[in-house]
Amino acid sequence: MIWDEGWLPASWTADLADHLNAIALIVATCLLAAAFGARMFRGRRRGRRPGWTALPGATLQDIHDLRDPLRQMDAIAQSAFECVPLLNREEARLLPILEAAVREVGDGHRLMAQTSLGELIRPSPNLGTTETRRRAFASINSKRLDFAVINRYGYLVLAIEYHGSGHYHKQSFIRDAVKREALRKAGVPTLEVPERFKPADLRADLLGILGKAELARSGT
């Protein structure tokens, strides 16, 4: 039977077309879901993890994309884990000196270790495009500060970088420059500690920087 729309009112024709389009979309979705379910079922019968069978056109990169939590869990299931120290031996020697100096500053300041820079600063929404801000954040998010001092409100007020043995090579220099520039733009001072430091000098430097920061915030 050939459908002739000529005898229908124009408004009915438009409504009918919308309904037919909606029905076609639902049918197509159901067919796709059925095909995907069949592939998952075949994967189960072969002893594979449900949902791991690649859809047509999937690349090897898609199959092994570890953004999928199921694939992450599978990778973890095939490995063993062990605890490792948060700080190396040289950084651990520096930790109590910094802790004591931060306690002396008081006013709710806290010392953090090995903190993600992306958790402490971010690109300002008032400058640049969404894409430039995304790229800027991606450039710092995977980097860490050796030590970070935060105030009572949880804001970063001082970044501390320790330049211990084995620190000086090309990649470390570039990473440090990236962090230093991002921190400068955020208005956060950086205290760089050399391998051979004197505890008294380090304490004086830390107290001096945080004291100046407090004066700047109070406006005195």
Side-chain angles (χ1 to χ4, degrees), residues 116-149:
S116 169
L117 190 56
E119 296 294 330
L120 298 168
I121 65 173
R122 65 183 178 186
S124 172
N126 301 323
L127 183 65
T129 65
T130 300
E131 177 61 16
T132 57
R133 291 193 295 271
R134 184 195 67 79
R135 289 169 57 85
F137 184 76
S139 299
I140 67 166
N141 192 38
S142 62
K143 294 176 173 57
R144 292 179 176 272
L145 296 178
D146 292 336
F147 300 95
V149 180

Side-chain angles (χ1 to χ4, degrees), residues 59 67 74 84 88-89 103 130 137 140 158 170-171 216:
T59 64
R67 288 176 296 182
D74 188 68
V84 296
N88 61 36
R89 185 173 300 178
R103 281 197 300 268
T130 300
F137 184 76
I140 67 166
L158 175 62
K170 182 177 180 181
Q171 289 301 318

Side-chain angles (χ1 to χ4, degrees), residues 5 13-29:
E5 298 179 343
T13 301
D15 291 342
L16 181 60
D18 290 340
H19 289 310
L20 289 176
N21 288 335
I23 292 171
L25 180 60
I26 293 172
V27 171
T29 303

